[in-house]
Amino acid sequence: MCRQVLDVTHDVKTFLFGSEDPALFHYDPGQFITLRLQIGGRAVDRCYTISTPPTRPHLIGITVKRQPEGLVSNWLHDTMGPGQRVSADGPFGLFSPARHPAGKYLFLSAGSGVTPLMSMTRTLYDLGSDTDVLFVHSARTPSDIIFQRELDVMASMAPTIRVAHVCERDSPREPWVGLRGFLSGEMLRVLAPDLHEREVFCCGPAPYMAAVRRMLVAAGFDMTRYHEESFSFEELTVEAAPTPADSAGADRSQPPSAEAQTAAYSVEFVRSGRTFRCRADENVLDAAYEAGLTPPSSCGQGMCGTCKTTVLSGTVDMQHQGGIRPREIAQNKLLICCSKPLSDLRIDA
């Protein structure tokens, strides 16, 4: 249930939710949830990073920027209010310092990409951690800086947290006297002379993250210590390092041959009573859509877990991005959005 809506900037709001029954929320800072909404009479799922910290477990919050053509962001801004109920799945995702503990972090964000890094920073602040955090956020103008006041307060109160804002240009009524333009390698050298000692978490639009990667590579940074998550339109896109062979019955040690890539297998959705063909180079979800079926899905990239089901027989090559847990894979669960068949399949769907 929505408990509160907070205005953050002129086009950004934070939505705080609580459980209808007394309960605490448990998640890692940087993870996301999938909202399940009904908009205009149709079901819509959307992934949003949790911006609140797990150290404040009574409420869970998302921070959403209104997008001009965004179906969900506009609906949330115009409709969602205290007392309104919403369903959600999660938490999901691997983008978290909980998986990469370090003594020093460099958090780099642009635009709405600030949200997972804000959850991380709030967590470390609440815990009184002695971890060294340098948070560098990029925005178009001063009026577009999300969480500016709170970040500056945390930096003023915690000697281990430093915050720097970078703005492309002035706001109409607010000149900018800080770092100006786009984040550059020279800025990073000045702000983080100890760059090579830090674990880097980066989140923002794809062009921003591509620029950051180029800067770090040019600086000779060890990219195994670089972790990123991006926002594309209203959906969350996670870019993660390849995971070990953890597919349901799959062996991914060798790439499939050209012959295997052109093969096709039978896929039976047992509960639906439908059988269709799926190529070896095609995800089961895509083949299901082509066959006229509409199984539940959201991110389409193995992140949110919406399309999770059980494989009753057969094997797949599953390239997920954190939307399924190892113990679930051991129980023959799979995500059909990122699973390609290696044999005929029977699926509990």
Side-chain angles (χ1 to χ4, degrees):
M1 178 181 293
C2 182
R3 302 295 188 191
Q4 194 174 9
V5 179
L6 305 174
D7 291 322
V8 181
T9 72
H10 61 97
D11 62 353
V12 175
K13 293 179 184 288
T14 289
F15 301 88
L16 296 173
F17 301 97
S19 175
E20 289 188 291
D21 300 318
L24 301 179
F25 295 100
H26 301 282
Y27 54 92
D28 291 332
Q31 290 191 300
F32 63 92
I33 56 174
T34 300
L35 295 186
R36 300 188 176 282
L37 308 170
Q38 289 287 331
I39 301 177
R42 70 183 181 96
V44 180
D45 296 341
R46 207 56 105 239
C47 303
Y48 285 105
T49 296
I50 304 166
S51 57
T52 49
T55 46
R56 309 172 199 177
H58 293 87
L59 297 174
I60 193 168
I62 60 172
T63 300
V64 181
K65 178 181 175 66
R66 184 191 290 271
Q67 304 290 341
E69 304 299 326
L71 172 66
V72 177
S73 66
N74 281 286
W75 184 86
L76 286 170
H77 275 245
D78 296 335
T79 307
M80 182 58 63
Q84 191 163 346
R85 291 175 173 83
V86 65
S87 297
D89 284 341
F92 304 112
L94 305 174
F95 185 73
S96 175
R99 298 175 181 271
H100 305 280
K104 291 184 176 183
Y105 290 109
L106 171 59
F107 294 161
L108 299 173
S109 66
S112 299
V114 70
T115 53
L117 303 178
M118 192 64 180
S119 178
M120 299 175 193
T121 305
R122 284 168 163 166
T123 300
L124 294 170
Y125 178 81
D126 286 353
L127 294 174
S129 172
D130 59 0
T131 300
D132 184 318
V133 174
L134 171 58
F135 196 140
V136 183
H137 178 66
S138 297
R140 289 191 178 90
T141 72
S143 64
D144 294 309
I145 300 176
I146 302 172
F147 301 126
Q148 180 181 10
R149 183 177 300 176
E150 185 179 352
L151 280 169
D152 290 344
V153 167
M154 285 193 289
S156 69
M157 298 292 290
T160 56
I161 297 176
R162 284 192 296 139
V163 174
H165 305 291
V166 183
C167 288
E168 296 177 27
R169 58 183 183 272
D170 297 335
S171 296
R173 299 181 181 178
E174 185 178 357
W176 180 245
V177 296
L179 295 170
R180 180 181 290 268
F182 298 98
L183 182 67
S184 67
E186 180 59 30
M187 287 183 192
L188 281 182
R189 283 190 291 273
V190 172
L191 293 169
D194 56 353
L195 171 65
H196 297 277
E197 301 173 17
R198 295 180 180 271
E199 199 84 8
V200 178
F201 282 80
C202 179
C203 187
Y208 167 82
M209 293 198 309
V212 168
R213 290 195 299 271
R214 288 194 297 270
M215 290 176 213
L216 294 178
V217 169
F221 185 75
D222 178 3
M223 295 303 284
T224 63
R225 303 185 67 189
Y226 172 80
H227 318 279
E228 69 176 32
E229 180 177 82
S230 69
F231 289 86
S232 176
F233 302 100
E234 288 194 286
E235 294 186 358
L236 190 66
T237 300
V238 174
E239 182 170 320
T243 55
D246 54 8
S247 304
D251 177 4
R252 302 193 301 196
S253 59
Q254 297 294 330
S257 65
E259 180 180 354
Q261 289 177 348
T262 58
Y265 299 100
S266 169
V267 178
E268 179 186 357
F269 276 13
V270 175
R271 283 188 286 115
S272 301
R274 294 285 301 276
T275 301
F276 53 92
R277 302 292 287 177
C278 181
R279 299 190 312 274
D281 61 352
E282 180 181 30
N283 288 318
V284 173
L285 178 63
D286 295 332
Y289 285 155
E290 291 175 8
L293 298 169
T294 57
S297 67
S298 179
C299 71
Q301 299 179 54
M303 300 180 298
C304 67
T306 302
C307 65
K308 188 184 303 174
T309 184
T310 302
V311 58
L312 302 175
S313 66
T315 56
V316 299
D317 175 16
M318 180 167 58
Q319 303 280 346
H320 71 90
Q321 300 284 358
I324 189 168
R325 294 176 172 86
R327 68 172 180 270
E328 293 174 319
I329 296 172
Q331 297 167 352
N332 292 325
K333 300 290 185 181
L334 81 165
L335 303 175
I336 61 173
C337 72
C338 58
S339 293
K340 296 179 173 64
L342 296 174
S343 69
D344 291 340
L345 300 174
R346 295 180 69 249
I347 293 175
D348 185 22

